[in-house]
Amino acid sequence: MRPGKEERLKRIFDARDGRAVCVAADHGWMSDLTFNVVKLRDIVQAVRRGGADAILMSMGQAVRLGGLLSGRRAPALLVRADWMNLTRVGGANELMNAVPVQKLRRVAAGRAEDALRLGASAITVYYFIGYGDEFEAYNIELCAAFAREAGRIGLPCIIEPMAVGGLVTGLNVAQLLTTAARAAVEIGADALKIQYTNDVESFRKLVQAAGVPVMMLGGARSFLERDALEIVAEGLNAGAAGVVFGRNVTKTKDPEAVVRRICALVHQGASVDDVYRLDLGPRIRLRPEASRCTGCKLCIIACHEHQHGAFGLSRAALRVDSKPLDSLVEGRPLHRPMLCNLCGKCVLACEDEALVRDELSGALRLHTAKCTGCRKCVAACPLVVVGWDEERRLPVICDLCEGAPHCAKYCDRQAIAVLPAKEREQV
Amino acid sequence: MGEFLGEDERSFIVDTSFAGSLGPTPGLLLADEAIPLAFEAADGVVLNPGQLERISKLLPGKTGAAPLVRVDWTNAFRDKTFILPAEKVCRAQIAGAEAALELGAAAAVVTLLMGFDDEFESQNIGFAARIFREGSRINLPVLVDIHLMGPKIGADNFAGALGLSTAMMVEGGADALIMPYPGEEMFAQIQEFSPVPIFLRESARVVSDPALSRKLLASIDSGAAGLLLGQDAFACGDPRGVFAEARSLVHGAREAELP
């Protein structure tokens, strides 16, 4: 595979687990003006906060909203390079089918080069099977042309096989999807976006036949979010490399929370029960307000108490940096709370994988059974806030107190602010 | 051409590209395991462009077969046993000669479907001609895989249709041909006319059935440049063994052993 493709695929699929959580936000390009289309800007921002790995947009929206995805930790941009009218095929439906059409049609809407210029990490195109021989051949030709063009410029091509039309039945859909998945790979797909075949075994076979990362679709909006997540769990069990959720995210009241739940399933290996059992309140971060700090160290005592059940100063995951009185400069604070900023250097330093990032809360978590007491995390911390518990031979890390940091709670000068996390911090 | 022709000017080729239309056929579900087997034994392996790019890191390089890229797709092999039988035979271009060259192919492979309606036939020939020209510009050999299968083909005109296809493709600019064996008489005629190597497309039984093996050897003796095996070679349960046997047949090692 060409280096450009490999690099861009890594922007989509997390290098740590090879999986991706993508959100499809390209519905306005092909269907009616529903609220998820109207409120796209807000939805994209929420999806980013939720920690999605990639967001799929139309070319036009990528021009307008692509800026929302700037920054190294932002979701990768996927660009829809074709257009189809499937959502409008059939009878009129006042909710989402204002202008019905009779025949399924699909056209190229741009070039891979256009997507690359927009900063895309991949293009996504459809491949329809089951609607007739000529239409399928046309689809193959179009997909192959996209794959070749994208390949030349090092841009991954994600093909989305869709089994639709009069030739598709409940009995043959799994086999058709498997055939289409392999055919898509044969002509040049670097990853697939495909509907679930409704059972683990057939989907496992599809994944094996493909040989490239397979992301399963969320499909139509599920009545219950939990149903959609159960399907995700099944798909992951069958070998899926992630999900591409559209309406099941964009049409919900809280897209950020839904994305975080999906991320927990996909990246953290949480079960559906876990996802709902754990508090999925907004992710937070701490910010020192040095001008308010008096250097009282109550925050350290509170942290020590939270960590060890006893008051003390020696084993806390924060410290207060106090300058000598003779170095006082007017307008500059004398004391500054030094707090974990989730930079992740301790996680990178931990060779035993004892220190991990909790996808749900965003905080660090220490697996004490894995920790060998090497103290590399302590040494790696640039802020010198990873403490050391000599008695237990374990590091003391900031776990954000399960979303209610004691340091901030007990600081009556509000020198430690608790803010919503801006985005998923990647370690 | 030298990349997939042995020193004896013969070649054993394996075709894996049918998966582009038929999906994962038996024995080819796990492409990463199955396709390298073909590369170990064959002189050339036909792949679709996407699969070649995906699998290229697993390939043995100059110690193994040369990759040949199929530049078109067709549903013509989706018969009534297939999950979605073809009602109308179609084809589509999935790559060009330049794309094949970029992928490191030693040759491009074009399908010629003969025996369907006139318009379809002319599209086939037009497409092949474009690939010939493109291949000629960049010095990439183009093989034509001739399939006689349309409603116009019957037992009475099979050999004649093959002769016609050969003539058209040679005139058009093909560098090699892949075809079924048309019988001794027509093959001799084709040999006399054709200046390009001809590879015979056979079933995997050619290595296990002594009568078929002898026939293949005779055709190689009479000028065929080698053998192409397809999907049934993977489905037989022991593709490695089949490929090894086929290689021996093509390159002469088994001749003395045959009963």
Side-chain angles (χ1 to χ4, degrees):
Chain A
M1 188 180 283
R2 296 164 205 219
K5 270 191 182 181
E6 280 189 23
E7 279 309 304
R8 292 188 176 91
L9 279 174
K10 282 181 199 162
R11 293 183 201 167
I12 304 166
F13 295 95
D14 193 316
R16 291 169 294 178
D17 55 16
R19 288 178 166 179
V21 173
C22 305
V23 173
D26 60 336
H27 297 96
W29 175 225
M30 289 164 285
S31 59
D32 289 354
L33 210 56
T34 46
F35 84 89
N36 60 326
V37 172
V38 177
K39 296 282 183 190
L40 191 59
R41 175 178 287 272
D42 297 340
I43 290 168
V44 168
Q45 286 170 328
V47 165
R48 177 178 174 156
R49 285 195 304 273
D53 296 292
I55 300 180
L56 171 63
M57 291 191 218
S58 62
M59 292 254 179
Q61 291 295 10
V63 172
R64 289 179 205 99
L65 303 181
L68 297 177
L69 307 184
S70 61
R72 287 172 60 199
R73 291 167 181 165
L77 171 66
L78 312 179
V79 167
R80 166 71 62 193
D82 58 354
W83 172 93
M84 58 86 178
N85 62 2
L86 177 67
T87 52
R88 293 164 49 204
V89 173
N93 173 330
E94 63 182 34
L95 282 178
M96 53 179 301
N97 206 356
V99 185
V101 294
Q102 297 308 313
K103 281 187 175 175
L104 177 58
R105 285 290 177 264
R106 175 197 170 206
V107 293
R111 298 174 55 199
E113 205 176 276
D114 302 328
L116 190 71
R117 282 203 196 98
L118 291 169
S121 293
I123 54 165
T124 301
V125 292
Y126 290 108
Y127 160 28
F128 290 102
I129 186 170
Y131 200 76
D133 296 320
E134 281 179 288
F135 193 61
E136 188 189 347
Y138 164 70
N139 271 258
I140 287 277
E141 200 158 83
L142 202 53
C143 286
F146 274 120
R148 295 282 77 73
E149 193 210 341
R152 272 195 296 277
I153 56 176
L155 189 69
C157 179
I158 299 173
I159 295 184
E160 182 175 350
M162 301 268 282
V164 293
L167 304 172
V168 181
T169 67
L171 290 176
N172 71 7
V173 68
Q175 204 173 336
L176 277 182
L177 286 170
T178 306
T179 301
R182 180 58 169 269
V185 173
E186 295 280 341
I187 58 175
D190 299 295
L192 299 176
K193 172 176 181 283
I194 198 163
Q195 76 184 75
Y196 186 54
T197 55
N198 292 329
D199 72 276
V200 173
E201 278 317 306
S202 62
F203 199 69
R204 182 170 288 133
K205 187 180 173 193
L206 184 154
V207 171
Q208 286 179 330
V212 298
V214 175
M215 295 182 284
M216 54 186 288
L217 297 183
R221 170 95 169 90
S222 295
F223 184 65
L224 291 174
E225 180 190 303
R226 191 183 173 103
D227 292 346
L229 295 190
E230 295 280 5
I231 292 172
V232 172
E234 274 192 31
L236 294 171
N237 185 27
V243 297
V244 183
F245 262 45
R247 287 161 288 176
N248 277 309
V249 168
T250 60
K251 283 193 169 179
T252 57
K253 284 182 183 167
D254 188 355
E256 179 186 342
V258 179
V259 172
R260 271 194 290 111
R261 290 185 188 108
I262 300 169
C263 284
L265 279 178
V266 173
H267 288 303
Q268 209 184 1
S271 68
V272 176
D273 284 340
D274 284 344
V275 164
Y276 286 100
R277 193 166 48 235
L278 293 166
D279 175 22
L280 288 173
R283 292 157 69 112
I284 56 164
R285 65 193 168 101
L286 298 175
R287 191 176 71 191
E289 302 285 356
S291 59
R292 294 169 180 263
C293 183
T294 62
C296 71
K297 298 188 179 175
L298 194 57
C299 51
I300 300 178
I301 294 170
C303 179
H304 193 290
E305 192 276 334
H306 168 69
Q307 300 263 6
H308 305 287
F311 296 118
L313 291 168
S314 60
R315 287 173 287 174
L318 78 165
R319 64 188 176 88
V320 175
D321 193 13
S322 297
K323 291 184 170 55
L325 272 176
D326 57 5
S327 68
L328 181 62
V329 177
E330 195 176 348
R332 291 221 184 143
L334 197 62
H335 307 288
R336 174 183 291 272
M338 302 300 283
L339 309 166
C340 174
N341 63 1
L342 296 168
C343 72
K345 291 199 168 108
C346 52
V347 176
L348 290 174
C350 180
E351 292 168 2
D352 307 305
E353 295 182 348
L355 207 48
V356 294
R357 172 70 186 268
D358 187 308
E359 292 289 343
L360 293 174
S361 66
L364 301 173
R365 181 184 284 176
L366 179 69
H367 293 300
T368 52
K370 287 185 179 178
C371 182
T372 59
C374 68
R375 298 175 78 152
K376 284 182 181 163
C377 51
V378 179
C381 180
L383 297 175
V384 201
V385 294
V386 176
W388 178 251
D389 183 344
E390 186 62 41
E391 192 179 314
R392 294 194 298 160
R393 308 283 305 162
L394 290 172
V396 182
I397 51 112
C398 176
D399 60 2
L400 292 174
C401 303
E402 292 159 356
H406 285 45
C407 52
K409 184 178 166 186
Y410 286 99
C411 179
D412 58 4
R413 298 294 304 262
Q414 285 93 44
I416 298 175
V418 179
L419 304 170
K422 280 180 182 167
E423 62 194 47
R424 178 177 163 222
E425 305 278 340
Q426 287 186 341
V427 175
Chain B
M1 291 284 283
E3 290 186 45
F4 61 95
L5 282 176
E7 287 177 358
D8 54 2
E9 296 287 306
R10 294 177 186 176
S11 186
F12 163 45
I13 300 171
V14 178
D15 186 1
T16 68
S17 64
F18 43 85
S21 173
L22 303 180
T25 51
L28 207 62
L29 175 67
L30 303 174
D32 293 4
E33 292 174 13
I35 294 176
L37 296 180
F39 270 87
E40 283 173 17
D43 300 299
V45 176
V46 184
L47 300 115
N48 289 303
Q51 191 65 268
L52 173 56
E53 182 170 353
R54 197 187 71 81
I55 209 169
S56 57
K57 280 187 180 167
L58 301 175
L59 303 185
K62 69 177 182 181
T63 59
L68 316 173
V69 166
R70 172 85 59 187
V71 294
D72 52 13
W73 173 96
T74 177
N75 63 355
F77 310 112
R78 293 179 174 181
D79 61 17
K80 285 180 182 168
T81 63
F82 186 67
I83 189 74
L84 191 67
E87 290 173 356
K88 180 176 182 184
V89 171
C90 298
R91 57 174 291 166
Q93 177 174 0
I94 58 172
E98 274 189 35
L101 189 72
E102 280 175 19
L103 290 166
V109 181
V110 180
T111 313
L112 177 69
L113 298 168
M114 283 292 282
F116 296 94
D117 62 69
D118 302 344
E119 195 185 345
F120 188 69
E121 182 186 309
S122 63
Q123 284 171 0
N124 270 252
I125 291 169
F127 173 67
R130 282 201 304 279
I131 299 295
F132 295 152
R133 299 286 78 75
E134 201 185 331
S136 166
R137 276 197 300 276
I138 56 176
N139 285 323
L140 187 78
V142 179
L143 282 67
V144 180
D145 191 4
I146 301 172
H147 289 267
L148 308 178
M149 57 192 309
K152 293 181 182 175
I153 304 294
D156 54 337
N157 67 348
F158 185 87
L162 198 55
L164 172 67
S165 306
T166 305
M168 289 194 296
M169 292 298 98
V170 168
E171 297 279 345
D175 297 293
L177 302 173
I178 300 165
M179 63 174 66
Y181 185 62
E184 201 175 327
E185 191 181 336
M186 177 49 76
F187 193 62
Q189 209 175 326
I190 287 173
Q191 282 291 330
E192 192 179 351
F193 165 75
S194 170
V196 302
I198 294 175
F199 304 103
L200 297 174
R201 188 173 51 247
E202 295 284 357
S203 81
R205 280 177 53 221
V206 76
V207 300
S208 56
D209 183 332
L212 290 178
S213 298
R214 272 196 297 276
K215 202 190 273 183
L216 176 71
L217 288 174
S219 57
I220 288 176
D221 283 344
S222 65
L227 165 71
L228 178 135
L229 293 183
Q231 64 189 88
D232 59 343
F234 289 96
C236 69
D238 178 24
R240 192 192 295 270
V242 169
F243 296 149
E245 291 281 307
R247 181 176 183 84
S248 301
L249 268 179
V250 170
H251 293 293
R254 267 196 61 192
E255 198 167 1
E257 296 171 21
L258 287 173

